[in-house]
Amino acid sequence: MTKTSAPLSLYLKEATHTLHVDLDKSIMAHGLFSSADKYKNFVQLQYLFHRDINDLYNHAQLVEIIPDLASRNRFAQVCQDMRDLDLPLPDEGPSINIQDASTAIGWLYVAEGSKLGANFLIKLVEKIGFTENFGGRHLAADLGGRGPSWNAFKSAIDRAGFDPVLATAGAQAGFMRVKNYMTACIIN
């Protein structure tokens, strides 16, 4: 296992900064929050990503480290948003199968961190007629609030002793998966 003096959450933030900024810029550059039709593309890419990571929220090792992990999963909310927007659910694809907890936590870092940005995105979604109760459910804050939820997640992963290299590889793969889905959803 590789050791780093920085907490894992900070290590991941620094190691994925460029990918994260690039993804954020791409999402905004494509105007995915400028109209209901473009927003549907965003919800479809969210569906695909959350479908892929759905099983990670029940990962045996991670549930022991993050006790509320299952309740953090937004896949059900994304599915409801798809129904709200009259979007057909794609054929069920397999979730990614990651046994290694360090790699899996990298993928979940992407999903959990995106909840902070969702605070900004929900305001854009409301301007085009959707809310946390219709069409934008997956952008709603966790029950405890965005900040406390994120801080609890960071604290748990910082104390767990995950391999930062494997976690970084997982986070980078997660960001790339979202970007690839964004490209696919915009083109189709």
Side-chain angles (χ1 to χ4, degrees):
M1 178 185 303
T2 304
K3 285 288 183 191
T4 176
S5 59
L8 180 62
S9 59
L10 182 58
Y11 186 86
L12 290 173
K13 180 179 181 179
E14 292 172 356
T16 62
H17 176 76
T18 301
L19 283 171
H20 190 178
V21 168
D22 181 54
L23 177 61
D24 286 349
K25 285 181 180 177
S26 293
I27 288 171
M28 299 317 287
H30 285 95
L32 297 182
F33 297 90
S34 63
S35 71
D37 284 338
K38 288 187 176 189
Y39 175 64
K40 288 178 180 182
N41 291 329
F42 179 77
V43 174
Q44 288 173 318
L45 82 88
Q46 288 284 55
Y47 172 88
L48 295 169
F49 180 68
H50 285 280
R51 177 198 64 193
D52 289 354
I53 64 170
N54 187 40
D55 288 346
L56 296 182
Y57 283 94
N58 295 308
H59 189 286
Q61 287 176 275
L62 298 183
V63 169
E64 289 183 23
I65 295 165
I66 307 164
D68 68 341
L69 188 61
S71 69
R72 292 171 169 273
N73 190 345
R74 292 183 287 169
F75 186 57
Q77 290 88 342
V78 175
C79 289
Q80 185 58 52
D81 288 340
M82 294 278 288
R83 289 188 284 275
D84 290 346
L85 300 172
D86 293 323
L87 293 170
L89 294 179
D91 291 337
E92 187 131 347
S95 290
I96 55 172
N97 183 12
I98 298 174
Q99 299 301 315
D100 175 71
S102 293
T103 304
I105 207 62
W107 281 81
L108 291 179
Y109 171 86
V110 174
E112 291 300 305
S114 73
K115 293 177 183 180
L116 292 175
N119 189 44
F120 169 72
L121 299 180
I122 194 66
K123 291 172 178 56
L124 297 177
V125 166
E126 288 170 349
K127 290 180 181 179
I128 55 174
F130 303 109
T131 68
E132 292 179 353
N133 297 312
F134 184 84
R137 298 169 200 273
H138 75 283
L139 299 173
D142 287 338
L143 289 178
R146 292 182 203 283
S149 178
W150 176 241
N151 288 335
F153 179 80
K154 287 192 317 180
S155 178
I157 70 171
D158 288 346
R159 291 188 319 263
F162 292 116
D163 183 313
V165 173
L166 293 174
T168 299
Q172 290 170 335
F175 277 116
M176 290 307 300
R177 179 76 57 105
V178 174
K179 184 155 187 184
N180 290 338
Y181 280 146
M182 183 190 68
T183 303
C185 290
I186 291 170
I187 292 171
N188 290 331

